[in-house]
Amino acid sequence: AQKVTQAQTEISVVEKEDVTLDCVYETRDTTYYLFWYKQPPSGELVFLIRRNSFDEQNEISGRYSWNFQKSTSSFNFTITASQVVDSAVYFCALGANTGNQFYFGTGTSLTVIP
Amino acid sequence: DGGITQSPKYLFRKEGQNVTLSCEQNLNHDAMYWYRQDPGQGLRLIYYSQIVNDFQKGDIAEGYSVSREKKESFPLTVTSAQKNPTAFYLCASSERGQGEKLFFGSGTQLSVL
């Protein structure tokens, strides 16, 4: 079964705090892809990052960083020094090995308070 | 600018009425998708198409229909058989292949009158 779990439904932080969004996935595929998307209030999902299952290197992009651990089936997302513009719903997704199918978590709504 | 255009942004459906949501892309992508988003339930796949004149049902296809006559267009019809159509509908596209990222439209909010 393919499944993505985002246990945190809503998170609120004060501006400049660091925040980590959790993502746990299930798959029997040996080759798979993991994604994070951001959905601001406008509604359109915006791609943030993609990882394939053979690349466990952590990645940093500005204030964003991602920690991929196959041993715990997790792909967590950290925002450092959060800003009000980071307020959005964040989705973690799993890309199957076949068929162009994607499995989304239920999303984490992040509110950054000024 | 390349992207995905969804229209209308808001749509109202009367009982027993079919409505069609438009999705057009100029990214030259082969694959296109329709997702339904309900509060607290994430995105659920309705239909997807990997090539013109071919499409497959997703997890919640009942009460919906699609067509893919042109590469650029993937309209979704919400039929009267869909008893709970109120939701936010997102169209997406991607290059064909494994693990390609999705590009999304800005969505259509469908409500029942």
Side-chain angles (χ1 to χ4, degrees):
Chain A
Q2 319 270 17
K3 184 180 178 181
V4 174
T5 301
Q6 295 181 255
Q8 304 152 307
T9 305
E10 296 181 359
I11 300 176
S12 292
V13 298
V14 177
E15 198 170 21
K16 297 184 182 177
E17 286 184 348
D18 299 346
V19 59
T20 295
L21 309 182
D22 297 333
C23 173
V24 175
Y25 63 92
E26 296 176 29
T27 181
R28 292 183 179 173
D29 292 344
T30 53
T31 301
Y32 53 89
Y33 303 85
L34 296 165
F35 303 80
W36 276 95
Y37 291 88
K38 175 181 180 180
Q39 185 179 38
S42 61
E44 179 178 338
L45 273 76
V46 176
F47 167 81
L48 295 177
I49 191 171
R50 174 184 64 193
R51 264 285 175 267
N52 73 53
S53 53
F54 298 107
D55 183 1
E56 285 194 75
Q57 279 193 337
N58 293 329
E59 178 153 342
I60 298 174
S61 176
R63 297 183 296 106
Y64 295 172
S65 62
W66 291 269
N67 183 281
F68 177 24
Q69 292 195 338
K70 288 179 73 171
S71 60
T72 56
S73 297
S74 64
F75 186 44
N76 296 337
F77 173 29
T78 297
I79 302 175
T80 303
S82 59
Q83 300 177 1
V84 173
V85 294
D86 296 326
S87 297
V89 180
Y90 291 86
F91 288 95
C92 181
L94 170 68
N97 189 31
T98 57
N100 274 98
Q101 290 225 41
F102 300 87
Y103 302 86
F104 284 81
T106 52
T108 296
S109 177
L110 174 65
T111 301
V112 180
I113 304 165
Chain B
D1 287 337
I4 299 180
T5 302
Q6 286 188 245
S7 62
K9 191 168 181 63
Y10 300 96
L11 186 59
F12 297 91
R13 192 191 90 166
K14 294 180 181 179
E15 290 288 339
Q17 186 182 40
N18 293 354
V19 293
T20 297
L21 284 61
S22 170
C23 178
E24 303 278 334
Q25 56 102 354
N26 61 4
L27 299 167
N28 199 35
H29 285 167
D30 285 308
M32 296 188 74
Y33 309 78
W34 275 105
Y35 288 93
R36 170 175 170 149
Q37 185 177 15
D38 295 278
Q41 293 195 42
L43 276 67
R44 293 183 291 169
L45 182 65
I46 305 172
Y47 270 98
Y48 67 103
S49 168
Q50 296 191 55
I51 198 168
V52 174
N53 292 323
D54 186 46
F55 47 83
Q56 287 79 40
K57 293 182 179 180
D59 299 321
I60 56 166
E62 185 173 350
Y64 300 97
S65 65
V66 294
S67 63
R68 186 88 187 275
E69 298 176 1
K70 297 187 300 181
K71 187 175 185 178
E72 305 79 30
S73 179
F74 192 40
L76 174 73
T77 296
V78 183
T79 74
S80 57
Q82 174 49 247
K83 298 306 179 186
N84 183 23
T86 297
F88 189 59
Y89 292 86
L90 284 158
C91 180
S93 71
S94 73
E95 295 179 8
R96 195 176 179 190
Q98 296 177 14
E100 297 294 337
K101 65 184 180 184
L102 292 169
F103 293 77
F104 284 87
S106 56
T108 294
Q109 176 64 51
L110 175 62
S111 302
V112 176
L113 289 176

